[in-house]
Amino acid sequence: MVRYEKGHKDETRRHILDVASAQFHESGIAAVGLAGIMSEAGLTNGAFYTHFESKEDLVREVLLDALSRREERHKDNLENGVELVTTIREYLSPHHRDSAGTGCPTAALVAEVARHPKTTRDAFTGKISDIIALMAAQIRQGSSGERRRKAIAIYATMVGALQLSRAVNDRQLSEEILEDAVEAAVNLARGR
């Protein structure tokens, strides 16, 4: 029997999550198989079940992990006084558009998540609600209800524009989509 150092199982699980996340972001959940994930991770298919019950369990964990990281960025921004406008500009940048593998899981996977089981959608919904609340906290004008409505509109604009900018094959149109969405989202954030 092979003995592993303490923490090996956690490191292996983290590695599988990272590989799966990049593959899901780049190719979509449905197009990625467990064999491809485990091969890229340098592990056997059988090792998968030591860490996850099923592909759906992996999908849910990837979403929770990636959205938790994004949530932490929003918390850090709020605690450090970073304006929502900065977040909008970074999110709707050509760099983010061109980095689907490491970018926002919402923009990369939202259409597929809508077709997943309730448990996965519940996890996704909880994290999205948390992110929206953090964005609303960065908006300084209006009642809490008005700030929440603006945050939802801003987030929806950001996600939709990023998806659209990635989907079109006309680079100039893609740039216009990003620039115009930045303007619209910034105007909402500033109460215009």
Side-chain angles (χ1 to χ4, degrees):
M1 184 167 121
V2 176
R3 293 193 181 263
Y4 293 105
E5 291 182 33
K6 187 175 182 176
H8 175 77
K9 185 174 180 180
D10 291 339
E11 288 175 20
T12 302
R13 179 183 171 86
R14 170 85 261 150
H15 183 57
I16 295 168
L17 282 170
D18 291 342
V19 169
S21 182
Q23 287 189 11
F24 290 162
H25 280 71
E26 287 286 338
S27 303
I29 296 166
V32 174
L34 294 180
I37 292 168
M38 296 308 285
S39 175
E40 187 173 324
L43 300 164
T44 65
N45 289 353
F48 174 84
Y49 295 99
T50 302
H51 303 280
F52 303 96
E53 293 178 17
S54 63
K55 181 179 178 183
E56 192 60 38
D57 183 35
L58 175 64
V59 168
R60 189 172 39 261
E61 291 301 316
V62 163
L63 286 170
L64 285 171
D65 179 64
L67 289 169
S68 292
R69 290 181 195 201
R70 191 144 292 272
E71 181 183 11
E72 285 304 313
R73 289 168 102 186
H74 283 281
K75 283 180 184 175
D76 289 345
N77 287 348
L78 186 60
E79 289 171 8
N80 294 312
V82 176
E83 288 191 32
L84 183 55
V85 170
T86 301
T87 302
I88 292 166
R89 290 184 197 286
E90 288 173 359
Y91 191 96
L92 292 172
S93 68
H95 174 73
H96 191 201
R97 176 198 58 208
D98 299 339
S99 304
T102 57
C104 176
T106 306
L109 303 172
V110 70
E112 286 188 87
V113 170
R115 294 185 288 274
H116 278 260
K118 184 179 183 318
T119 55
T120 300
R121 292 181 65 209
D122 286 348
F124 180 80
T125 300
K127 285 296 179 187
I128 296 303
S129 294
D130 293 344
I131 289 170
I132 288 169
L134 289 165
M135 290 176 75
Q138 287 182 280
I139 298 171
R140 294 177 178 39
Q141 301 165 354
S143 68
S144 63
E146 290 168 335
R147 292 192 314 270
R148 179 175 167 77
R149 283 191 297 279
K150 283 182 182 181
I152 289 170
I154 290 166
Y155 195 53
T157 298
M158 290 166 56
V159 170
L162 188 61
Q163 288 179 304
L164 195 56
S165 72
R166 287 177 176 165
V168 299
N169 64 359
D170 178 330
R171 195 67 161 184
Q172 183 178 345
L173 177 57
S174 179
E175 299 289 333
E176 286 179 88
I177 291 166
L178 292 176
E179 290 166 11
D180 292 344
V182 165
E183 183 179 342
V186 165
N187 284 340
L188 275 169
R190 290 185 173 158
R192 294 183 191 153

